[in-house]
Every structure is written in structure tokens, then in C-alpha cells.
Amino acid sequence: MPLIAAPMFRVSNVPLVAAACRAGVIGAFPTANCRSLDELSRWLGELREQLGPADAPFAANLIMRRETMAQELDLLCEAKVELVITSVGSPAAAIPALHEAGALVFADVASLAHARKALDAGADGLVLLSAGAGGQTGSANGMAFARAVRKFFSGPLVLAGGIADGKGLLAARALDVDFGYMGTRFIATRESAASDAYKAMLVASDLDDVLLTSAFTGLPSNMLIPSIEAAGLSPHELPEEIAAEVSDQMYGSGGSAGARRWSEVWSAGHSVSGVNAIPAVQTLIEDIAAEFRAAGRAMAEAMTHD
């Protein structure tokens, strides 16, 4: 199925990624979810042991501006990871080594300028970070973004932002996009590392409960209003013109604002309106696949009658 279970900070773990791959979907995780290089090495080894040739490949998300990026890159190359998704910076520094190791490199991009720069650097594919994606997000309309990029790039495209079900996934394919990126739905699964309270809040929320704010990361991010309020903050009185370093001091671990991003203030995309239960990953993917097939049949029938 043309779906990637998106890498989610503090949520994607080995059980979630492995379950997605066994169900035929590319499972991804951020290398930043590992607390040390030794843990990253263990995760890579565990995924290799748990997955076989009949399973979908897994992907690792490499944050380019992370202090340990070079060491993480070495581990990904050593493990022969087949797909690496780069984010927060140009992929140029990582692409030669990854290509030499046989990996494909997809770059997160939020604008046409970013897309062109990533391709010039040698990226094999692009993840189009559009409005409505959870966590740090883009501002472009996904439909317009995909069509604009297709004017100059014929390679693999992934649409991120607002895809909640099989119908949304089919819509992405209709835009000539190769994969849909789905994150929020996978937070609310049994295997994810999210807390029970986080998962319950996703089920209880809809897209009106999502706030776009730069307060917690220094970059525009979609966060859950109920979690902001539960942390004792007013969603209407957050500092918006804020540098990433200041945000770290306020909302990072031990931050001065008294509320920690990701662990107390949680993210979600507009697709949260599609979260109605907390299933196992296998069940969720089976449901999405059934919706995708049914939507395809309905579209084909409608076109026949037109």
C-alpha cells in the first residue's frame, strides 16, 4: 500500500515500526528517539532481526542539524538502511555516504525553493510537508504543493499533512503522489510509545483542537490545545515571535515555563478528526487498505457513469 507511517518524535518505536512493516507499510522512526548511539544501534539490529524479505522496508529520519548527526549517519550506513528521510536542514552532507551505502534519500521540504535545493543536492525523493501536518509543519496547501512540484520533478513524492484514512490516501494518489505520510493516526495505536492520556486526547479531539504555534519549537508546529491548557498555559497568550534557542530554554527539558513540549504538550495534525479508536497497527492498516480499495472502486464507478 502506498503509505508511510511517519516518523514521530517520542512516539515511533521498534514495536510500531515493525508492526507497520509486517503489515506492508513503510514504518519510520526519528533517530532522535534513541537516547544514545548505542540505543540507535540496538534499534537497527532489532528491526533487522524482526523483519524479513516479505516485509516492507523501514525508514530512519535523520535530523541534519542534530549534534550527533554524523555519528548517526555512520550507523545508518553500517546497517544498510534502505530509506533515510532527512529533515531540518539540507541533506547535502548526508547524501554521498548514504548513496554509497545503497540507501535512498527522501528530503523533507516545505517550499518549492527547498524542494529544488534538495534535488540539486542529490535527493532521490521529496516529502512534501504541507499545512495540517502534526508537529513541525509547512504552510502550503498539499494539493497545490504536489501539483507545483510535479512540474519539475518526476521522481518519488510523499504527501504529508491531513491524510486520515484510505480516502485521503487515494486522493493523494490522484494527485500523482507516490506515497501518503500518516502520523497522527499511528500515535493512537496500541504499539506506539505515546502515553495512554495522549492517545485518549487524540480520540477526544478534532481539528478545531489543533493550534498552529511557534512557541514550543521556534518553528510553526501543530499542537493540541487541550494539552496546552492541561499544562497550565493559555493557548491565546503564547510567545509567537520566538527563537528556537529561547523556546528550548522555556519548553525543553527543565524549561522555565513549567511545561515540557512533546512530553506534556502534545502534537497532532488536522487528521486528528479521523482518530476514533486506539487499534493495533495491523488492524489500522487493514482498515485503511479496505477504505482505499473501496474508494477506488467508487471513483471508478463514478467515472464510468460520467
Side-chain angles (χ1 to χ4, degrees), residues 1 3 6 15 18 20 54 87-89 91 127 145 190 192 205 249 265 287 300:
M1 188 165 59
L3 177 63
S87 61
V88 194
V127 178
F145 199 5
R190 295 177 188 172
S192 95
S205 298
Q249 294 170 5
V265 179
D287 290 346

Side-chain angles (χ1 to χ4, degrees), residues 3-13 16-17 20 25-30 33 59-61 85 108 127 129 133-134 158-161 163 180-187 192 271 284:
L3 177 63
I4 297 176
M8 296 166 287
F9 187 52
R10 295 199 177 187
V11 171
S12 300
N13 56 10
L16 190 158
V17 172
V25 164
I26 296 172
F29 72 95
N33 280 6
N61 171 214
I85 300 163
D108 264 7
V127 178
L129 194 59
V158 184
L159 183 60
I163 301 176
Y181 225 36
M182 196 177 291
T184 301
R185 287 294 302 274
F186 282 90
I187 302 174
S192 95
S271 59
L284 173 60

Side-chain angles (χ1 to χ4, degrees), residues 51-76:
L51 299 175
D55 300 318
F58 67 87
N61 171 214
L62 184 66
I63 299 173
M64 297 305 299
R65 295 179 185 169
R66 187 167 158 82
E67 290 183 0
T68 54
M69 187 280 291
Q71 295 95 322
E72 292 171 358
L73 173 62
D74 289 342
L75 289 174
L76 298 181

Side-chain angles (χ1 to χ4, degrees), residues 149-208:
V149 172
R150 270 291 178 239
K151 288 184 177 181
F152 59 85
F153 180 57
S154 60
L157 288 183
V158 184
L159 183 60
I163 301 176
D165 52 26
K167 288 186 177 181
L169 187 58
L170 183 66
R173 293 290 291 123
L175 292 169
D176 197 19
V177 167
D178 301 279
F179 295 93
Y181 225 36
M182 196 177 291
T184 301
R185 287 294 302 274
F186 282 90
I187 302 174
T189 56
R190 295 177 188 172
E191 291 88 345
S192 95
S195 67
D196 290 343
Y198 188 178
K199 296 176 185 180
M201 187 176 289
L202 290 171
V203 174
S205 298
D206 60 30
L207 66 86
D208 282 351

Side-chain angles (χ1 to χ4, degrees), residues 222-243:
N222 278 319
M223 312 298 285
L224 279 170
I225 292 174
S227 72
I228 296 172
E229 294 173 335
L233 302 173
S234 170
H236 307 295
E237 298 176 359
L238 296 172
E240 292 301 331
E241 298 298 326
I242 184 170

